């Protein structure tokens, strides 16, 4: 299988897919896309004109969640979806609920009224999920982690200190111990 990822270092959706590719040790070629000066061919690959995009043996796939599902199904070791159907449903629930967090995050970036309060509401919920388990869905690492983590590491950009949420900070520390997460932290610091 020949895989090419079209990606931008700064894009948190691309981080999601890099975390899965690198965590599973999948070989791939990387094409950097300059987001401020997007190439015309990007729209031909993805009608939404966004990264990440994956080319798999000539099949073009886009949308980070779909890409991560695809990678987990085609490279099942280590599995990133639980074997229990209810737990699998919970991973999808967390990813959908995450959209409330990302909506609040981007609203906070635009300095909209009420956004920071909404963001803290989402972080309180996330924190409650992590108070009694190591990962977002029970005690195993799943696709929920790369689905959410890229935004948590960017919260400082809207003035939120994750230290206020010890359970989330401990989860971040746990993930930073994985090489693919450490590599993304280096990119973020660069
Ligand atoms: N829902 C998409 C969102 C992807 C997305 O919004 N990517 C941004 C970069 S973070 C992008 O390509 N934006 C186009 C632009 O900046 O013009 C996914 O999950 O892949």
């Amino acid at each position: 299988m020949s895989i090419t990822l079209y990606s931008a270092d700064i894009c948190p959706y691309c981080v999601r897919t890099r975390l899965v590719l690198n965590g599973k040790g999948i070989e791939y070629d990387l094409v950097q896309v300059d987001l401020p000066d997007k190439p015309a061919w990007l729209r031909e690959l993805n009608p939404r004109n966004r990264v990440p995009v994956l080319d798999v043996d000539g099949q073009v796939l886009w949308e980070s969640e779909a890409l991560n599902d695809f990678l987990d199904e085609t490279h099942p070791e280590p599995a990133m979806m639980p074997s229990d159907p209810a737990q699998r449903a919970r991973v999808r629930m967390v990813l959908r609920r995450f959209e409330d967090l990302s909506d609040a995050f981007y609203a906070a970036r635009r300095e909209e009224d009420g956004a920071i309060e909404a963001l803290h509401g989402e972080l309180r919920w996330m924190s409650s999920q992590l108070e009694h388990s190591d990962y977002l869905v029970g005690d195993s690492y799943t696709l929920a982690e790369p689905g959410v983590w890229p935004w948590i590491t960017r919260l400082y950009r809207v003035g939120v200190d994750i230290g206020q949420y010890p359970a989330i900070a401990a989860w971040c520390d746990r993930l930073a111990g994985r090489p693919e997460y450490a590599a993304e932290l280096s990119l973020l610091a660069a």
Side-chain angles (χ1 to χ4, degrees):
M1 188 183 279
S2 161
I3 298 182
T4 302
L5 174 70
Y6 296 83
S7 168
D9 283 355
I10 57 162
C11 166
Y13 296 95
C14 296
V15 175
R16 282 177 154 184
T17 297
R18 293 198 298 266
L19 287 172
V20 174
L21 283 162
N22 296 333
K24 286 178 177 281
I26 301 170
E27 280 188 26
Y28 63 99
D29 293 320
L30 186 69
V31 174
Q32 292 283 0
V33 173
D34 183 5
L35 284 182
D37 185 20
K38 278 189 295 187
W41 49 257
L42 183 61
R43 195 182 289 283
E44 285 163 33
L45 288 178
N46 176 357
R48 301 195 74 204
N49 208 17
R50 292 177 186 175
V51 284
V53 175
L54 216 53
D55 181 313
V56 184
D57 293 333
Q59 291 192 86
V60 179
L61 309 172
W62 34 269
E63 284 298 315
S64 57
E65 245 186 85
L67 302 187
N68 285 0
D69 282 339
F70 170 85
L71 292 169
D72 194 46
E73 286 170 19
T74 52
H75 298 77
E77 292 298 326
M80 293 182 71
M81 280 299 261
S83 53
D84 175 53
Q87 292 295 80
R88 280 205 298 281
R90 287 197 177 90
V91 172
R92 297 185 180 112
M93 287 156 57
V94 166
L95 290 172
R96 206 53 60 231
R97 170 104 197 214
F98 156 77
E99 289 172 6
D100 297 339
L101 190 151
S102 64
D103 283 351
F105 174 83
Y106 289 113
R109 294 279 280 175
R110 294 188 297 268
E111 300 183 7
E112 288 177 17
D113 287 347
I116 289 287
E117 291 74 13
L119 190 51
H120 281 292
E122 292 307 311
L123 290 168
R124 278 194 295 278
W125 180 78
M126 188 177 160
S127 186
S128 72
Q129 301 300 108
L130 288 166
E131 257 151 37
H132 304 291
S133 62
D134 281 356
Y135 295 101
L136 289 168
V137 179
D139 281 321
S140 45
Y141 175 77
T142 70
L143 286 177
E145 267 66 44
V148 174
W149 180 86
W151 287 266
I152 301 302
T153 56
R154 286 162 171 76
L155 284 172
Y156 69 90
R157 293 188 179 160
V158 290
V160 172
D161 173 12
I162 207 61
Q164 296 172 64
Y165 299 95
I168 301 180
W171 174 79
C172 287
D173 287 347
R174 211 167 288 129
L175 293 176
R178 292 176 175 253
E180 68 273 27
Y181 285 79
E184 291 296 339
L185 287 173
S186 308
L187 267 186
L188 200 56

